[in-house]
Amino acid sequence: MPEGRDAERHAPVVLSVVIPMFNEEDVLPALVTRLRPVLTELGVPHEVVAVDDGSGDRTAELLDAFRLGWPELRVVALRRNSGHQAALTAGLDRARGAYVVSLDADLQDPPEKIPDMLALARAEGLDIVYGVRADRSSDSGFKRWTAGVYYRLMRRLAGPSVPAQAGDFRLLSRAAVEALKALPDQQRVYRLLVPWLGFPSGQVTYERAPRTAGRTKYPLGRMIRLAVDSVTGFSAAPLRIATWLGAGAFVVCLGLLVYTLTAFALGRTVPGWTSLFTGIVFIGAVQLVCVGLLGEYVGRIYTAVQNRPTYFVRHDTAATVPAPGPAPGSADTLAEQDKVG
C-alpha cells in the first residue's frame, strides 16, 4: 500500500493550478470548497500550487491545515512579498503539470471554468486558453472604464493578439510554460507576454463575480504601476512621444522667438512678460515629462543589468518530488542554496 501511494505521488501530473496568494485568509475556505470538487471530478492527476507571497496574516497557517486533508495541495512560500506577477512566476516555474492554469484566490474568476478550458485545449490542440470576462457588471463603473482604456491601449501598442478583457485566468500547455520560463524579462506582465508568444489559442467566456471575501490586492496605485510596466515593457512609443513633445516645444519656441523680436522692434518688451513666463513653464514641463519617460526605460535597463531574481522561495512542500529543474542562477536555484546553507 505505501508503494502504491508513492507511485501515485510520482505519477505524471496532467493539470497544475497555480494560485498566487497575499493575505487571503478570509477567502481561503471558500476557495478550497469550490476548487477541490471541480478538480476531483476531472479525474486526472493534478496539483494545486498555492504561492504564499509573504502573507502577514493566517494564510500560511490555513494552507498547512488544508494540506492535512488535501494531498494535492502544494504550498510554495516566498521569503517576502514580491508582487502578484512575481508570485505567478514562482508558481509557473515549479508547476509540473502538462497543462497549467493560473487563478486568483479572490474567486472573481470561477474555478468551475477550468474543465471547459482543459477540454477545449485537448479537443483543438491549443496551447493557450484565455478566460475572457464577457460581463463585468460586478465591477465599479470606474474600474470598468479604466480596464477598457487599458486593454484598448495595450491592443494598440502590443498588437491585436492581446485579447480584450482577459486577465491572469488562463490555461497554458507545457510548451507555452517552458517558452515563458526561457524569456529573460525581469518585470513580467503575463497578460501581454502570453499573447506575444504566438501559440495557438482559444477563449472561454464567463461572468466576472464580486470578490468573495477580503480586500482587493490591486488598488489604484498598483493598477497604474501595472499599466506603466505594460507600456514600457512592450513598446517604445513613450520615447517617440517624448520626441514629438520636444519637436512641439521647439515649434512653440520659434513662435515665441518671432513674437519676442516683433515686440522688441515695436518697443513692447515689458508687456511680453506673460508670454515669456508661459514659455518657460511649458518648456520646463516638457523637459520633465521627457526625463521621466527616459527614467522609466533607464530603470528597466538597470533592473535587467542587475539580473536579480524576482523572488526567493522559503520552502516548497513538494521539494522532495522530482520537478523540472530551474536554470543555474535562477531564483529557485539560489533559494535552494540559501536553504541548504
Side-chain angles (χ1 to χ4, degrees):
M1 201 58 187
E3 292 181 0
R5 286 197 299 267
D6 187 68
E8 182 179 353
R9 189 182 68 173
H10 288 80
V13 177
V14 174
L15 179 67
S16 296
V17 180
V18 175
I19 311 176
M21 297 182 180
F22 178 63
N23 293 341
E24 298 288 4
E25 64 174 351
D26 294 330
V27 78
L28 257 178
L31 173 65
V32 173
T33 300
R34 287 180 57 181
L35 178 61
R36 187 174 183 181
V38 170
L39 299 180
T40 301
E41 291 176 7
L42 271 176
V44 299
H46 62 271
E47 65 174 356
V48 177
V49 184
V51 183
D52 180 14
D53 188 19
S55 297
D57 61 356
R58 297 176 58 245
T59 297
E61 179 184 341
L62 290 177
L63 286 173
D64 288 338
F66 284 124
R67 282 189 62 245
L68 297 177
W70 193 7
E72 291 82 11
L73 178 59
R74 173 182 173 190
V75 180
V76 176
L78 304 187
R79 291 189 176 277
R80 62 177 181 85
N81 178 242
S82 302
H84 181 268
Q85 298 296 293
L88 184 54
T89 300
L92 293 176
D93 285 348
R94 296 205 160 213
R96 297 178 290 122
Y99 294 95
V100 180
V101 171
S102 55
L103 174 71
D104 287 340
D106 56 16
L107 290 175
Q108 289 190 279
D109 304 323
E112 291 80 8
K113 286 293 181 178
I114 293 176
D116 296 340
M117 289 178 159
L118 183 59
L120 181 62
R122 284 176 155 178
E124 300 187 12
L126 303 177
D127 289 292
I128 304 169
V129 178
Y130 299 102
V132 176
R133 302 151 181 168
D135 184 353
R136 300 192 63 155
S137 57
S138 61
D139 291 336
S140 65
F142 176 75
K143 189 167 186 179
R144 290 197 300 270
W145 178 78
T146 54
V149 171
Y150 172 82
Y151 284 109
R152 284 195 296 271
L153 178 61
M154 291 306 104
R155 287 171 67 86
R156 190 171 184 85
L157 294 179
S161 60
V162 178
Q165 304 302 329
D168 288 315
F169 182 36
R170 68 179 70 86
L171 177 142
L172 302 171
S173 69
R174 173 50 51 185
V177 172
E178 293 300 325
L180 286 172
K181 290 167 65 174
L183 295 177
D185 299 61
Q186 294 284 319
Q187 296 170 322
R188 299 191 170 198
V189 181
Y190 282 104
R191 61 190 66 188
L192 299 182
L193 271 179
V194 172
W196 178 84
L197 294 175
F199 282 91
S201 63
Q203 296 183 358
V204 169
T205 59
Y206 64 94
E207 180 180 345
R208 185 169 171 83
R211 177 179 251 277
T212 301
R215 294 184 300 174
T216 179
K217 304 307 183 296
Y218 260 92
L220 181 60
R222 288 198 176 186
M223 290 171 62
I224 293 174
R225 184 69 256 175
L226 176 66
V228 171
D229 287 341
S230 300
V231 173
T232 57
F234 282 84
S235 175
L239 293 179
R240 289 191 286 271
I241 292 174
T243 301
W244 284 109
L245 286 174
F250 177 73
V251 172
V252 172
C253 287
L254 288 180
L256 289 174
L257 178 61
V258 173
Y259 172 79
T260 302
L261 293 176
T262 302
F264 177 76
L266 298 177
R268 300 175 180 174
T269 53
V270 175
W273 176 87
T274 301
S275 60
L276 179 62
F277 177 77
T278 303
I280 293 175
V281 170
F282 175 75
I283 294 173
V286 169
Q287 288 176 335
L288 289 175
V289 169
C290 295
V291 170
L293 292 173
L294 289 172
E296 285 291 332
Y297 283 91
V298 171
R300 296 184 71 90
I301 295 172
Y302 177 67
T303 301
V305 170
Q306 285 180 316
N307 198 29
R308 292 176 181 170
T310 56
Y311 65 88
F312 281 98
V313 175
R314 184 171 72 246
H315 71 262
D316 181 351
T317 57
T320 58
V321 179
S330 70
D332 287 354
T333 302
L334 293 173
E336 292 299 331
Q337 292 174 352
D338 183 25
K339 185 163 59 178
V340 172

